[in-house]
Amino acid sequence: MAAFVFKRLAEMIPVLFIISFIVFALVFVAGNPVALMLPEDASQEDIDQLTASLGLDQPFLVQYGKYLLNLVQGDFGESFRYNTSALPLVLERLPATLELAVAALVLAVAMAIPLGVWSATKQHSPVDLLAAGGSVIGKAMPNFWLGIMLILIFSVMLGWFPVSGRGTLGHLVLPAMTLATGIAAEITRLLRSSMIEILNQDYIRTARSKGIREGMVVYKHAFRNSLIPLVTIVALQTSTVVGGTLITETVFSWPGLGQLLIQAVHTRDMAIVQACVFVIAILVIFMNLVADVLYRLLDPRIKYE
């Protein structure tokens, strides 16, 4: 297990290298951000002088080489908007994003597990049709539209929850619900398919023929063996959660990475953009590693060579 974890950590290095190259190339193609750093009445001479002082007039490979050299030292540059180092600012916003992401995942799993199990055990029943219809609707609704609707209903009309911000449990409810809805719909659909396949296995029929209670058959035998696909689904949804926070945090003014990244893109604050994308990439890769480790804990038959 330790050798496998070490190997996966080593594999992160080339992946992060490729991500850094893609992000830097996209930032390079986006154009020179110097015009946004200077007043509107700045002369072309001032623009050229600042461009040269920042090294933005050098060839792409030269700029990327300097970027990599700084990157290995944890230096993503300085944000011209906030006038401070980019990485500490990004890490300062990270706990808010993690709070929202974890709350959304927990809420999604809490909704999806009972719906998926009930739907699989009661095929073609009203419960199954309701769960299937809800999954389609939940998956189809865009995050920004759902967030606005939740604000209109539960904040503006009913006054139950705050409209925006962070600080209390009430501030967390609507953003987490917005993120969790689409994820729960996906997990419900895939968990239902997995449960139906497992319930048709021979060992399930054997357990039923022995007179074991249906609840024990479903939850101890069938559901337990569907945990590996469930872990896979949740791990794959990590990237969906992180991507969803970009819009959700903007809608609810949640002070996390998503809101910071959107603002940085609008202002062409490239140091913040690069630091945000890099941190998000590490989060997604780490969650995939956690999922692989959980496979071994859930099923000892799985061996890592």
Side-chain angles (χ1 to χ4, degrees):
M1 175 69 78
F4 169 77
V5 173
F6 180 78
K7 180 182 178 181
R8 286 295 303 272
L9 291 175
E11 290 173 351
M12 289 175 60
I13 297 176
V15 173
L16 292 176
F17 173 79
I18 294 172
I19 291 173
S20 71
F21 180 82
I22 294 174
V23 173
F24 188 85
L26 292 175
V27 169
F28 184 84
V29 172
N32 191 349
V34 167
L36 299 176
M37 302 180 188
L38 296 173
E40 294 184 0
D41 58 348
S43 64
Q44 185 61 43
E45 182 181 353
D46 293 332
I47 295 176
D48 294 339
Q49 184 177 357
L50 182 56
T51 300
S53 65
L54 294 176
L56 298 178
D57 59 336
Q58 297 176 344
F60 171 80
L61 291 179
V62 174
Q63 292 188 43
Y64 181 64
K66 292 181 177 180
Y67 169 73
L68 274 184
L69 184 61
N70 293 329
L71 183 62
V72 297
Q73 303 175 45
D75 182 12
F76 287 85
E78 186 170 307
S79 165
F80 72 84
R81 180 183 180 189
Y82 297 96
N83 197 28
T84 186
S85 297
L87 186 59
L89 185 60
V90 169
L91 295 179
E92 182 183 328
R93 298 288 191 99
L94 182 59
T97 295
L98 291 178
E99 178 186 340
L100 178 57
V102 170
L105 280 175
V106 170
L107 184 58
V109 171
M111 291 190 296
I113 288 178
L115 285 175
V117 173
W118 293 340
S119 182
T121 55
K122 302 181 184 297
Q123 293 183 60
H124 311 301
S125 68
V127 173
D128 186 20
L129 295 176
L130 181 63
S135 297
V136 173
I137 295 174
K139 191 64 179 176
M141 288 188 296
N143 279 349
F144 71 89
W145 181 86
L146 178 59
I148 293 173
M149 292 301 102
L150 291 178
I151 290 174
L152 289 176
I153 295 172
F154 294 103
S155 296
V156 178
M157 296 175 58
L158 299 177
W160 290 356
F161 302 105
V163 175
S164 61
R166 174 184 179 235
T168 66
L169 183 61
H171 289 91
L172 181 61
V173 173
L174 294 185
M177 181 63 71
T178 301
L179 267 180
T181 301
I183 301 168
E186 185 73 15
I187 296 175
T188 299
R189 188 167 57 86
L190 295 178
L191 180 59
R192 176 185 181 275
S193 300
S194 177
M195 283 288 294
I196 289 175
E197 181 180 353
I198 292 173
L199 287 171
N200 290 323
Q201 297 293 321
D202 291 338
Y203 71 90
I204 296 294
R205 285 191 285 268
T206 301
R208 284 170 171 163
S209 67
K210 291 181 178 180
I212 299 177
R213 289 185 297 108
E214 184 65 17
M216 185 70 71
V217 172
V218 170
Y219 287 98
K220 184 176 180 180
H221 297 282
F223 177 67
R224 183 176 180 180
N225 286 303
S226 69
L227 284 179
I228 291 181
L230 179 62
V231 170
T232 304
I233 297 167
V234 174
L236 291 176
Q237 291 300 314
T238 302
S239 57
T240 303
V241 172
V242 175
T245 58
L246 302 182
I247 304 300
T248 303
E249 289 182 2
T250 302
V251 171
F252 290 94
S253 295
W254 185 267
L257 284 183
Q259 185 188 49
L260 180 66
L261 179 57
I262 293 295
Q263 292 173 348
V265 170
H266 282 262
T267 58
R268 285 171 136 193
D269 197 342
M270 298 313 179
I272 295 292
V273 172
Q274 291 168 336
C276 282
V277 173
F278 200 80
V279 170
I280 290 172
I282 291 177
L283 284 177
V284 174
I285 294 172
F286 177 76
M287 283 303 301
N288 289 332
L289 174 60
V290 170
D292 288 339
V293 173
L294 286 177
Y295 294 156
R296 179 66 176 83
L297 298 177
L298 290 172
D299 190 350
R301 295 173 299 177
I302 296 176
K303 303 295 182 182
Y304 295 126
E305 299 297 338

